[in-house]
Amino acid sequence: MPTLMTTPAAGRFGGFGGRFVPESLVPACDALAAAFSGAWADPAFRAELGDLLAVYAGRPTPLTPARNLSAALGVELLLKREDLAHTGSHKINNVLGQALLARRMGKRRILAETGAGQHGVAAATAAALLGLEATVFMGERDIERQQLNVLRMTTLGATVVPVTTGSRTLKDATNEAMRAWVADVDDAHFLLGSVGGPHPYPWMVRELQRVIGDEARSQSPYVPDVVVACVGGGSNAAGTFAGFADTPARLVGVEAAGGAAMSSGRPGVVHGARSMVLQDADGQVAEAASIAAGLDYPGIGPEHAFLGSVGRAEYHCVKDDEVVAAVRRLARAEGIICALESAHAVAWVLREAGGPLLPTGSRVLLTLSGRGDKDMATLGEVA
C-alpha cells in the first residue's frame, strides 16, 4: 500500500514534488532542509515544540462525536476539532514549528502568505511569542472578505502587505512572499502555510501537521472506514492522512469545485513544486474560484498529487452552495460553526451519506480545520 514519503532528502513523491526555484534560493532551501532535519532529530527541539503545542496551542484537540448528524445521516461521524486550537485553526501547529526553526537558524524576520487569514494570524501569533518580525502578504480581494483576520494580524504586530496583482488572492500572495524571500534570504524565513512549495516545505509542513492524525488515531475507538478533510494546498489533510496512511481507512480529500486541481488540473509547476495544477490551454496557471479564501488556489500539495495518482487517496469536489448549506447544517445540528474551508469536507459527507461512496453504517473521521468566525460576513451576504 503506498504511504507517505519517508526519505526527505529526495524531495519527491513519485513524479511530483522537487524544487523549481531561482538559483538564488537553492542555498536557502538546502539550508532549510538541513536545519529541519537536524531539529526534527533533536529531542530538545521536539520537547520545546511539544510543550508549546500543549500549554500554548491547546493540544490535544478533542475528537467530538457528531451524534445528531450521525443519527440523521446513518453514519457514525467523529470530528477532529482543530477549530478549538489557539488562533482557531490547525495553522498554529505548523507555524510554531517553523517559527522555532527560524529562531534556531538565526533569522530575524518571518514572511508569510495567507488567503483566509488563518495562517497569517497564526504566523503573527508565533512571531509575537518568539520576538520575531512578521510580514504577511495577502491578496487585496481576500483582505476585503477577511477583515476580521486582518485586524487580528495587525493587533498582533504584523505588517500586512496588500497584493494587487493577478487574481488578488492566495496564489498572488504566495508569489509576492517568495519574491520578498529572494530579496532578504539571509535575514528572513519564508513561513509557508501549506504542503506546497519547493522541497523541504511539503515534507516539513506535513511532519509539523501530522500531530492531527497521530492524535486522532490514538483518540478514535476504532480505525475509521473513511478519513476526510478539505484540501486546498492540503496541509490539514496531509497531517490527518499521516496518522492513517498505514491503515485500511479510505483517505478522502475534498476540494472546491472552482479550485479542483486534482479533478480538473494536470501536471505542472506552481510555486516551486511539480504537482497537479489548474492550467489554461497554453499551459499557464489558471485562476481558481471558491467562496472559501483558503481554498482559492490553483494547485495542490505534491504528496496529495502522488497519493491520488497511485489510488491511495481519492479527491472529490463540492460547490459553493453545498458549502454554505453545510456550515448551517452543522451549526444547527451540533452547535459548531466551522470555517467555509472545513465545510467542504462536511458538505461531501452530507451529500454522499447513504450512497455508494459513503454507505449507511460507515464510520467517518472528519477534520474540522478551523472555526467560522472569519466567515460571518460572507455567510451574511449569501443569506
PDB file of all heavy atoms in Angstrom, residues 344-373:
ATOM      1  N   HIS A 344     -16.255  22.201   3.368  1.00  0.00           N
ATOM      2  CA  HIS A 344     -16.191  21.386   2.154  1.00  0.00           C
ATOM      3  C   HIS A 344     -16.220  19.901   2.503  1.00  0.00           C
ATOM      4  O   HIS A 344     -16.900  19.113   1.838  1.00  0.00           O
ATOM      5  CB  HIS A 344     -14.932  21.720   1.353  1.00  0.00           C
ATOM      6  CG  HIS A 344     -15.010  23.020   0.613  1.00  0.00           C
ATOM      7  ND1 HIS A 344     -15.045  24.241   1.249  1.00  0.00           N
ATOM      8  CD2 HIS A 344     -15.077  23.282  -0.729  1.00  0.00           C
ATOM      9  CE1 HIS A 344     -15.121  25.195   0.343  1.00  0.00           C
ATOM     10  NE2 HIS A 344     -15.154  24.648  -0.860  1.00  0.00           N
ATOM     11  N   ALA A 345     -15.483  19.519   3.538  1.00  0.00           N
ATOM     12  CA  ALA A 345     -15.487  18.125   3.957  1.00  0.00           C
ATOM     13  C   ALA A 345     -16.855  17.728   4.503  1.00  0.00           C
ATOM     14  O   ALA A 345     -17.364  16.634   4.218  1.00  0.00           O
ATOM     15  CB  ALA A 345     -14.407  17.887   5.012  1.00  0.00           C
ATOM     16  N   VAL A 346     -17.458  18.618   5.280  1.00  0.00           N
ATOM     17  CA  VAL A 346     -18.795  18.354   5.821  1.00  0.00           C
ATOM     18  C   VAL A 346     -19.795  18.197   4.686  1.00  0.00           C
ATOM     19  O   VAL A 346     -20.649  17.295   4.701  1.00  0.00           O
ATOM     20  CB  VAL A 346     -19.222  19.491   6.778  1.00  0.00           C
ATOM     21  CG1 VAL A 346     -20.630  19.235   7.312  1.00  0.00           C
ATOM     22  CG2 VAL A 346     -18.229  19.634   7.935  1.00  0.00           C
ATOM     23  N   ALA A 347     -19.701  19.071   3.689  1.00  0.00           N
ATOM     24  CA  ALA A 347     -20.637  19.024   2.562  1.00  0.00           C
ATOM     25  C   ALA A 347     -20.551  17.697   1.817  1.00  0.00           C
ATOM     26  O   ALA A 347     -21.566  17.139   1.390  1.00  0.00           O
ATOM     27  CB  ALA A 347     -20.370  20.188   1.610  1.00  0.00           C
ATOM     28  N   TRP A 348     -19.339  17.180   1.665  1.00  0.00           N
ATOM     29  CA  TRP A 348     -19.188  15.891   0.979  1.00  0.00           C
ATOM     30  C   TRP A 348     -19.868  14.774   1.772  1.00  0.00           C
ATOM     31  O   TRP A 348     -20.559  13.926   1.198  1.00  0.00           O
ATOM     32  CB  TRP A 348     -17.714  15.580   0.764  1.00  0.00           C
ATOM     33  CG  TRP A 348     -17.498  14.297   0.025  1.00  0.00           C
ATOM     34  CD1 TRP A 348     -17.576  14.109  -1.328  1.00  0.00           C
ATOM     35  CD2 TRP A 348     -17.216  13.009   0.593  1.00  0.00           C
ATOM     36  NE1 TRP A 348     -17.347  12.783  -1.635  1.00  0.00           N
ATOM     37  CE2 TRP A 348     -17.121  12.091  -0.479  1.00  0.00           C
ATOM     38  CE3 TRP A 348     -17.026  12.551   1.893  1.00  0.00           C
ATOM     39  CZ2 TRP A 348     -16.849  10.732  -0.283  1.00  0.00           C
ATOM     40  CZ3 TRP A 348     -16.753  11.203   2.102  1.00  0.00           C
ATOM     41  CH2 TRP A 348     -16.672  10.313   1.026  1.00  0.00           C
ATOM     42  N   VAL A 349     -19.686  14.768   3.080  1.00  0.00           N
ATOM     43  CA  VAL A 349     -20.329  13.750   3.909  1.00  0.00           C
ATOM     44  C   VAL A 349     -21.845  13.870   3.826  1.00  0.00           C
ATOM     45  O   VAL A 349     -22.561  12.870   3.674  1.00  0.00           O
ATOM     46  CB  VAL A 349     -19.850  13.859   5.369  1.00  0.00           C
ATOM     47  CG1 VAL A 349     -20.678  12.961   6.289  1.00  0.00           C
ATOM     48  CG2 VAL A 349     -18.378  13.496   5.468  1.00  0.00           C
ATOM     49  N   LEU A 350     -22.360  15.101   3.895  1.00  0.00           N
ATOM     50  CA  LEU A 350     -23.808  15.303   3.810  1.00  0.00           C
ATOM     51  C   LEU A 350     -24.353  14.804   2.485  1.00  0.00           C
ATOM     52  O   LEU A 350     -25.424  14.180   2.417  1.00  0.00           O
ATOM     53  CB  LEU A 350     -24.136  16.796   3.974  1.00  0.00           C
ATOM     54  CG  LEU A 350     -23.860  17.432   5.335  1.00  0.00           C
ATOM     55  CD1 LEU A 350     -24.179  18.928   5.284  1.00  0.00           C
ATOM     56  CD2 LEU A 350     -24.672  16.756   6.443  1.00  0.00           C
ATOM     57  N   ARG A 351     -23.614  15.043   1.418  1.00  0.00           N
ATOM     58  CA  ARG A 351     -24.083  14.661   0.084  1.00  0.00           C
ATOM     59  C   ARG A 351     -24.012  13.159  -0.150  1.00  0.00           C
ATOM     60  O   ARG A 351     -24.906  12.570  -0.763  1.00  0.00           O
ATOM     61  CB  ARG A 351     -23.247  15.388  -0.978  1.00  0.00           C
ATOM     62  CG  ARG A 351     -23.743  15.182  -2.403  1.00  0.00           C
ATOM     63  CD  ARG A 351     -22.867  15.940  -3.388  1.00  0.00           C
ATOM     64  NE  ARG A 351     -21.547  15.338  -3.531  1.00  0.00           N
ATOM     65  CZ  ARG A 351     -20.494  15.956  -4.075  1.00  0.00           C
ATOM     66  NH1 ARG A 351     -20.607  17.216  -4.490  1.00  0.00           N
ATOM     67  NH2 ARG A 351     -19.344  15.334  -4.180  1.00  0.00           N
ATOM     68  N   GLU A 352     -22.970  12.530   0.348  1.00  0.00           N
ATOM     69  CA  GLU A 352     -22.715  11.128  -0.009  1.00  0.00           C
ATOM     70  C   GLU A 352     -23.234  10.115   1.000  1.00  0.00           C
ATOM     71  O   GLU A 352     -23.278   8.917   0.704  1.00  0.00           O
ATOM     72  CB  GLU A 352     -21.218  10.921  -0.212  1.00  0.00           C
ATOM     73  CG  GLU A 352     -20.584  11.830  -1.258  1.00  0.00           C
ATOM     74  CD  GLU A 352     -21.177  11.660  -2.649  1.00  0.00           C
ATOM     75  OE1 GLU A 352     -21.813  10.600  -2.905  1.00  0.00           O
ATOM     76  OE2 GLU A 352     -21.013  12.554  -3.483  1.00  0.00           O
ATOM     77  N   ALA A 353     -23.604  10.551   2.215  1.00  0.00           N
ATOM     78  CA  ALA A 353     -24.042   9.608   3.254  1.00  0.00           C
ATOM     79  C   ALA A 353     -25.221   8.778   2.752  1.00  0.00           C
ATOM     80  O   ALA A 353     -26.211   9.309   2.235  1.00  0.00           O
ATOM     81  CB  ALA A 353     -24.426  10.357   4.522  1.00  0.00           C
ATOM     82  N   GLY A 354     -25.116   7.469   2.901  1.00  0.00           N
ATOM     83  CA  GLY A 354     -26.157   6.569   2.457  1.00  0.00           C
ATOM     84  C   GLY A 354     -26.028   6.133   1.014  1.00  0.00           C
ATOM     85  O   GLY A 354     -26.793   5.279   0.553  1.00  0.00           O
ATOM     86  N   GLY A 355     -25.060   6.705   0.291  1.00  0.00           N
ATOM     87  CA  GLY A 355     -24.845   6.344  -1.102  1.00  0.00           C
ATOM     88  C   GLY A 355     -23.654   5.426  -1.271  1.00  0.00           C
ATOM     89  O   GLY A 355     -23.036   4.990  -0.294  1.00  0.00           O
ATOM     90  N   PRO A 356     -23.285   5.135  -2.516  1.00  0.00           N
ATOM     91  CA  PRO A 356     -22.198   4.174  -2.766  1.00  0.00           C
ATOM     92  C   PRO A 356     -20.836   4.635  -2.255  1.00  0.00           C
ATOM     93  O   PRO A 356     -19.987   3.801  -1.924  1.00  0.00           O
ATOM     94  CB  PRO A 356     -22.206   4.019  -4.291  1.00  0.00           C
ATOM     95  CG  PRO A 356     -22.939   5.219  -4.812  1.00  0.00           C
ATOM     96  CD  PRO A 356     -23.930   5.591  -3.774  1.00  0.00           C
ATOM     97  N   LEU A 357     -20.592   5.950  -2.200  1.00  0.00           N
ATOM     98  CA  LEU A 357     -19.312   6.440  -1.716  1.00  0.00           C
ATOM     99  C   LEU A 357     -19.219   6.456  -0.191  1.00  0.00           C
ATOM    100  O   LEU A 357     -18.119   6.463   0.368  1.00  0.00           O
ATOM    101  CB  LEU A 357     -19.032   7.850  -2.257  1.00  0.00           C
ATOM    102  CG  LEU A 357     -18.788   7.965  -3.751  1.00  0.00           C
ATOM    103  CD1 LEU A 357     -18.527   9.417  -4.145  1.00  0.00           C
ATOM    104  CD2 LEU A 357     -17.609   7.089  -4.172  1.00  0.00           C
ATOM    105  N   LEU A 358     -20.369   6.458   0.481  1.00  0.00           N
ATOM    106  CA  LEU A 358     -20.383   6.502   1.940  1.00  0.00           C
ATOM    107  C   LEU A 358     -21.608   5.730   2.431  1.00  0.00           C
ATOM    108  O   LEU A 358     -22.608   6.306   2.855  1.00  0.00           O
ATOM    109  CB  LEU A 358     -20.425   7.956   2.421  1.00  0.00           C
ATOM    110  CG  LEU A 358     -19.974   8.229   3.861  1.00  0.00           C
ATOM    111  CD1 LEU A 358     -18.539   7.774   4.075  1.00  0.00           C
ATOM    112  CD2 LEU A 358     -20.099   9.714   4.173  1.00  0.00           C
ATOM    113  N   PRO A 359     -21.533   4.413   2.376  1.00  0.00           N
ATOM    114  CA  PRO A 359     -22.707   3.586   2.702  1.00  0.00           C
ATOM    115  C   PRO A 359     -23.194   3.778   4.133  1.00  0.00           C
ATOM    116  O   PRO A 359     -22.424   4.149   5.028  1.00  0.00           O
ATOM    117  CB  PRO A 359     -22.198   2.157   2.485  1.00  0.00           C
ATOM    118  CG  PRO A 359     -21.002   2.295   1.598  1.00  0.00           C
ATOM    119  CD  PRO A 359     -20.381   3.605   1.958  1.00  0.00           C
ATOM    120  N   THR A 360     -24.460   3.520   4.322  1.00  0.00           N
ATOM    121  CA  THR A 360     -25.048   3.564   5.667  1.00  0.00           C
ATOM    122  C   THR A 360     -24.230   2.681   6.614  1.00  0.00           C
ATOM    123  O   THR A 360     -23.845   1.565   6.259  1.00  0.00           O
ATOM    124  CB  THR A 360     -26.508   3.079   5.615  1.00  0.00           C
ATOM    125  OG1 THR A 360     -27.254   3.971   4.777  1.00  0.00           O
ATOM    126  CG2 THR A 360     -27.121   3.050   7.002  1.00  0.00           C
ATOM    127  N   GLY A 361     -23.979   3.205   7.802  1.00  0.00           N
ATOM    128  CA  GLY A 361     -23.192   2.476   8.788  1.00  0.00           C
ATOM    129  C   GLY A 361     -21.704   2.767   8.746  1.00  0.00           C
ATOM    130  O   GLY A 361     -20.953   2.282   9.604  1.00  0.00           O
ATOM    131  N   SER A 362     -21.255   3.556   7.772  1.00  0.00           N
ATOM    132  CA  SER A 362     -19.833   3.887   7.675  1.00  0.00           C
ATOM    133  C   SER A 362     -19.377   4.663   8.904  1.00  0.00           C
ATOM    134  O   SER A 362     -20.117   5.482   9.453  1.00  0.00           O
ATOM    135  CB  SER A 362     -19.563   4.728   6.423  1.00  0.00           C
ATOM    136  OG  SER A 362     -19.835   4.015   5.245  1.00  0.00           O
ATOM    137  N   ARG A 363     -18.142   4.426   9.308  1.00  0.00           N
ATOM    138  CA  ARG A 363     -17.529   5.164  10.407  1.00  0.00           C
ATOM    139  C   ARG A 363     -16.565   6.193   9.805  1.00  0.00           C
ATOM    140  O   ARG A 363     -15.599   5.818   9.132  1.00  0.00           O
ATOM    141  CB  ARG A 363     -16.818   4.214  11.358  1.00  0.00           C
ATOM    142  CG  ARG A 363     -17.795   3.212  11.998  1.00  0.00           C
ATOM    143  CD  ARG A 363     -17.131   2.288  12.992  1.00  0.00           C
ATOM    144  NE  ARG A 363     -16.138   1.422  12.377  1.00  0.00           N
ATOM    145  CZ  ARG A 363     -15.542   0.415  13.005  1.00  0.00           C
ATOM    146  NH1 ARG A 363     -15.844   0.134  14.266  1.00  0.00           N
ATOM    147  NH2 ARG A 363     -14.644  -0.327  12.384  1.00  0.00           N
ATOM    148  N   VAL A 364     -16.848   7.470  10.060  1.00  0.00           N
ATOM    149  CA  VAL A 364     -16.167   8.571   9.377  1.00  0.00           C
ATOM    150  C   VAL A 364     -15.459   9.459  10.393  1.00  0.00           C
ATOM    151  O   VAL A 364     -16.057   9.884  11.381  1.00  0.00           O
ATOM    152  CB  VAL A 364     -17.170   9.422   8.568  1.00  0.00           C
ATOM    153  CG1 VAL A 364     -16.446  10.530   7.802  1.00  0.00           C
ATOM    154  CG2 VAL A 364     -17.993   8.546   7.629  1.00  0.00           C
ATOM    155  N   LEU A 365     -14.201   9.755  10.131  1.00  0.00           N
ATOM    156  CA  LEU A 365     -13.463  10.735  10.924  1.00  0.00           C
ATOM    157  C   LEU A 365     -13.170  11.931  10.034  1.00  0.00           C
ATOM    158  O   LEU A 365     -12.551  11.783   8.974  1.00  0.00           O
ATOM    159  CB  LEU A 365     -12.173  10.129  11.470  1.00  0.00           C
ATOM    160  CG  LEU A 365     -11.419  10.963  12.502  1.00  0.00           C
ATOM    161  CD1 LEU A 365     -10.699  10.068  13.504  1.00  0.00           C
ATOM    162  CD2 LEU A 365     -10.420  11.923  11.861  1.00  0.00           C
ATOM    163  N   LEU A 366     -13.631  13.094  10.446  1.00  0.00           N
ATOM    164  CA  LEU A 366     -13.544  14.310   9.634  1.00  0.00           C
ATOM    165  C   LEU A 366     -12.789  15.391  10.408  1.00  0.00           C
ATOM    166  O   LEU A 366     -13.117  15.674  11.568  1.00  0.00           O
ATOM    167  CB  LEU A 366     -14.950  14.790   9.275  1.00  0.00           C
ATOM    168  CG  LEU A 366     -15.113  15.999   8.357  1.00  0.00           C
ATOM    169  CD1 LEU A 366     -16.445  15.912   7.618  1.00  0.00           C
ATOM    170  CD2 LEU A 366     -15.039  17.328   9.100  1.00  0.00           C
ATOM    171  N   THR A 367     -11.799  15.992   9.771  1.00  0.00           N
ATOM    172  CA  THR A 367     -11.060  17.068  10.416  1.00  0.00           C
ATOM    173  C   THR A 367     -11.738  18.409  10.140  1.00  0.00           C
ATOM    174  O   THR A 367     -11.869  18.823   8.978  1.00  0.00           O
ATOM    175  CB  THR A 367      -9.604  17.113   9.924  1.00  0.00           C
ATOM    176  OG1 THR A 367      -8.942  15.920  10.359  1.00  0.00           O
ATOM    177  CG2 THR A 367      -8.872  18.309  10.508  1.00  0.00           C
ATOM    178  N   LEU A 368     -12.171  19.057  11.228  1.00  0.00           N
ATOM    179  CA  LEU A 368     -12.651  20.443  11.137  1.00  0.00           C
ATOM    180  C   LEU A 368     -11.430  21.335  11.288  1.00  0.00           C
ATOM    181  O   LEU A 368     -10.939  21.567  12.389  1.00  0.00           O
ATOM    182  CB  LEU A 368     -13.668  20.743  12.239  1.00  0.00           C
ATOM    183  CG  LEU A 368     -15.085  20.237  12.059  1.00  0.00           C
ATOM    184  CD1 LEU A 368     -15.963  20.723  13.210  1.00  0.00           C
ATOM    185  CD2 LEU A 368     -15.687  20.679  10.727  1.00  0.00           C
ATOM    186  N   SER A 369     -10.923  21.841  10.178  1.00  0.00           N
ATOM    187  CA  SER A 369      -9.636  22.537  10.186  1.00  0.00           C
ATOM    188  C   SER A 369      -9.683  23.898  10.860  1.00  0.00           C
ATOM    189  O   SER A 369      -8.647  24.408  11.305  1.00  0.00           O
ATOM    190  CB  SER A 369      -9.119  22.694   8.754  1.00  0.00           C
ATOM    191  OG  SER A 369     -10.060  23.416   7.966  1.00  0.00           O
ATOM    192  N   GLY A 370     -10.868  24.528  10.937  1.00  0.00           N
ATOM    193  CA  GLY A 370     -10.915  25.861  11.533  1.00  0.00           C
ATOM    194  C   GLY A 370     -12.324  26.296  11.867  1.00  0.00           C
ATOM    195  O   GLY A 370     -13.302  25.695  11.427  1.00  0.00           O
ATOM    196  N   ARG A 371     -12.404  27.342  12.660  1.00  0.00           N
ATOM    197  CA  ARG A 371     -13.704  27.856  13.078  1.00  0.00           C
ATOM    198  C   ARG A 371     -14.162  28.960  12.118  1.00  0.00           C
ATOM    199  O   ARG A 371     -13.381  29.553  11.381  1.00  0.00           O
ATOM    200  CB  ARG A 371     -13.637  28.371  14.509  1.00  0.00           C
ATOM    201  CG  ARG A 371     -12.840  29.623  14.725  1.00  0.00           C
ATOM    202  CD  ARG A 371     -12.773  29.977  16.214  1.00  0.00           C
ATOM    203  NE  ARG A 371     -12.156  31.271  16.407  1.00  0.00           N
ATOM    204  CZ  ARG A 371     -11.269  31.521  17.380  1.00  0.00           C
ATOM    205  NH1 ARG A 371     -10.906  30.570  18.215  1.00  0.00           N
ATOM    206  NH2 ARG A 371     -10.752  32.733  17.494  1.00  0.00           N
ATOM    207  N   GLY A 372     -15.466  29.267  12.201  1.00  0.00           N
ATOM    208  CA  GLY A 372     -16.070  30.092  11.162  1.00  0.00           C
ATOM    209  C   GLY A 372     -16.294  31.553  11.476  1.00  0.00           C
ATOM    210  O   GLY A 372     -16.953  32.235  10.683  1.00  0.00           O
ATOM    211  N   ASP A 373     -15.740  32.060  12.571  1.00  0.00           N
ATOM    212  CA  ASP A 373     -15.936  33.475  12.899  1.00  0.00           C
ATOM    213  C   ASP A 373     -15.603  34.378  11.717  1.00  0.00           C
ATOM    214  O   ASP A 373     -16.319  35.342  11.421  1.00  0.00           O
ATOM    215  CB  ASP A 373     -15.054  33.897  14.086  1.00  0.00           C
ATOM    216  CG  ASP A 373     -15.138  32.963  15.268  1.00  0.00           C
ATOM    217  OD1 ASP A 373     -15.113  31.735  15.060  1.00  0.00           O
ATOM    218  OD2 ASP A 373     -15.222  33.458  16.405  1.00  0.00           O
TER     219      ASP A 373
END
